[in-house]
């Protein structure tokens, strides 16, 4: 099971430390390079990883089929592009229902990973209030299969914007 850590850059802090301690970079400039490298390694990436979210949704769909779950979930099937953040937040809340219903460790890990990725991607989007959007409880209840299909569609809206 993979748990992605998209919040870390590929820059290795150990390389900076080795470079600093084992070379002539033990100067003020070398220390600055080391500190800036450490800071950049911990900064969040700004590019969205929506393809990983879609992959996780497809994996959940496959796992759910083998469990034969019959829960219904609030589903936004025709979200307006101006309401995509609100719709995505509703989908993320409804994932908790799948988590509760399945009680499966693999699904738990995937949902935790998916939630982290989606929230990380949402944090890079400008915070704005979406007016005129439906509340989660106002949405129609649909099967898990339809829920996941609509979820993928919403994520694809982010992927193309």
């Amino acid at each position: 099971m993979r748990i992605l850590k998209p919040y870390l850059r590929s820059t290795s802090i150990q390389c900076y430390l080795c470079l600093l301690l084992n070379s002539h970079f033990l100067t003020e400039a070398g220390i600055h390079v080391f500190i800036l490298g450490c800071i950049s390694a911990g900064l969040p990436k700004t590019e969205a990883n929506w393809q990983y979210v879609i992959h996780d949704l497809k994996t959940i769909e496959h796992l759910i089929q083998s469990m034969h779950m019959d829960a219904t979930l609030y589903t936004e099937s025709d979200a307006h592009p101006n309401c995509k953040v609100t719709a995505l937040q509703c989908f993320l809340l409804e994932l908790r229902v799948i988590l509760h219903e399945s009680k499966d460790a693999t699904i738990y890990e995937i949902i935790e990973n998916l939630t982290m990725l989606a929230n990380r991607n949402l944090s890079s989007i400008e915070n704005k209030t979406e007016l005129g959007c439906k509340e989660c409880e106002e949405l129609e209840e649909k099967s898990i299969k339809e829920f996941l299909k609509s979820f993928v569609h919403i994520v694809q809206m982010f992927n193309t914007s």
Side-chain angles (χ1 to χ4, degrees), residues 27-42:
T27 63
E28 186 176 343
I31 293 171
H32 287 262
V33 168
F34 174 71
I35 292 171
L36 290 174
C38 289
I39 291 170
S40 73

Side-chain angles (χ1 to χ4, degrees), residues 112-123:
E112 288 299 313
N113 186 57
L114 188 149
T115 304
M116 179 195 64
L117 286 170
N119 285 329
R120 171 82 39 276
N121 292 339
L122 281 176
S123 71

